[in-house]
Amino acid sequence: MGDSVVINKEGFPHHVGIIMDGNGRWAKKRGLPRLSGHKQGASVFGKIARHAVDTSVKYLTAYAFSTENWKRPASEVAGIMDLLRGFLKDTEKYKDDNIRVRVIGDVSALDLDLRRMITDLEEKSRERDGLVLSIAINYGARSEILRAAKAYANDPLKPLSLDEAKFGEYLYTKGIPDVDLIIRTSGEIRVSNFLLWQAAYAEYIFLDVLWPDFTPRHFDSALLEYAKRNRRLGNI
Ligand code: IPE
Ligand code: IPE
Ligand code: MG
């Protein structure tokens, strides 16, 4: 647990989303190749997930690779995929932390070995009842919503009266509550196609910190700031 603030009170977020941005700029600042920024970012991601276990957060959803990120040079994409392999290949990953791992996004576009690792880790960690860590890979919110609409249309068992909750069952995040707080690092103030449906009432925190410099302290401060905000949810 270290010297981290343990936050487990009313008013703190249960589901936090993170847009982990700024790896490339972090590397550039140091005269390093972009991939070393991604490496450092992956290591920070591992630490933050473990740290989240000691907080109010029960669901953590991290944006690792977007449907738009394929536009990057092939070597960068391959490097990111290798980092994901390194992360996902260990089916004992996070066992001691009791973290359940799932992947959201269109995994059908990923290499077969990576898809197998994802299925294995999801299967192996299914019974863990601690933090639910969702990693968004080849994820885009518009494509998720479109896919859900098609899945509903083609579902022979579809409920005839479709409502918001039932529609949510067709999204990748089925079974996971709406996101309460989204943190984006790197100073960019945009959503970049992340959790558009689930974030309808989310609070946002944009930080001027590059993802590889993000620490548990930043995470805890964000939870505290969230707790201070007045979420009226349409009420007065
Ligand atoms: C975020 O860092 C990681 C991914 C999008 C995969 P970036 O690679 O976007 O870093 P910047 O924005 O170029 O600094
Ligand atoms: C968003 O970061 C996606 C991830 C963090 C995986 P980007 O760096 O791809 O976003 P834009 O292109 O600056 O909007
Ligand atoms: Mg970026």
Side-chain angles (χ1 to χ4, degrees):
M1 227 177 283
D3 58 358
S4 74
V5 190
V6 178
I7 301 165
N8 219 338
K9 286 186 271 183
E10 270 304 294
F12 284 86
H14 298 298
H15 183 179
V16 172
I18 307 187
I19 303 175
M20 308 183 288
D21 196 14
N23 294 346
R25 276 163 282 174
W26 183 90
K28 194 173 177 203
K29 259 175 53 182
R30 287 165 176 72
L32 297 168
R34 289 180 58 87
L35 206 54
S36 53
H38 293 310
K39 244 177 231 159
Q40 188 60 30
S43 143
V44 165
F45 167 65
K47 281 195 196 109
I48 294 298
R50 280 206 184 82
H51 170 72
V53 169
D54 300 326
T55 68
S56 63
V57 178
K58 167 75 182 158
Y59 302 91
L60 185 67
T61 303
Y63 208 2
F65 192 85
S66 76
T67 48
E68 286 73 34
N69 287 146
W70 297 106
K71 292 177 195 157
R72 297 184 178 207
S75 58
E76 180 169 344
V77 171
I80 293 171
M81 292 300 158
D82 276 343
L83 285 169
L84 288 167
R85 279 188 181 85
F87 193 87
L88 297 162
K89 69 174 180 235
D90 172 17
T91 53
E92 302 284 284
K93 186 94 194 164
Y94 292 139
K95 193 171 178 217
D96 295 342
D97 303 286
N98 198 22
I99 296 177
R100 177 175 174 185
V101 183
R102 29 190 294 182
V103 168
I104 60 170
D106 180 9
V107 294
S108 73
L110 306 179
D111 287 347
L112 191 60
D113 69 315
L114 192 49
R115 271 151 63 191
R116 288 221 175 96
M117 287 172 195
I118 291 169
T119 322
D120 285 353
L121 182 53
E122 283 184 336
E123 216 32 71
K124 276 277 171 66
S125 69
R126 190 175 298 277
E127 301 304 323
R128 299 180 199 158
D129 59 2
L131 182 80
V132 179
L133 175 64
S134 305
I135 308 175
I137 305 177
N138 193 23
Y139 175 87
R142 282 195 168 182
S143 110
E144 175 186 38
I145 293 167
L146 193 57
R147 177 182 169 275
K150 289 178 185 167
Y152 171 74
N154 296 324
D155 183 356
L157 304 170
K158 63 169 158 278
L160 289 177
S161 64
L162 185 63
D163 58 24
E164 291 177 8
K166 285 176 195 155
F167 188 73
E169 301 279 296
Y170 293 91
L171 298 170
Y172 293 126
T173 49
K174 174 178 170 25
I176 293 178
D178 280 351
V179 62
D180 299 307
L181 166 67
I182 292 186
I183 302 168
R184 181 171 190 149
T185 56
S186 92
E188 306 299 350
I189 305 179
R190 56 175 168 265
V191 174
S192 300
N193 206 7
F194 188 50
L195 302 179
L196 297 182
W197 176 277
Q198 299 86 343
Y201 251 108
E203 297 290 330
Y204 282 88
I205 292 180
F206 296 97
L207 294 176
D208 257 325
V209 175
L210 302 172
W211 175 253
D213 292 326
F214 188 83
T215 63
R217 206 178 279 269
H218 292 116
F219 189 81
D220 290 347
S221 306
L223 302 191
L224 276 165
E225 181 176 335
Y226 171 94
K228 285 188 209 140
R229 290 191 187 175
N230 184 2
R231 276 185 109 191
R232 284 184 286 277
L233 305 171
N235 215 323
I236 53 168

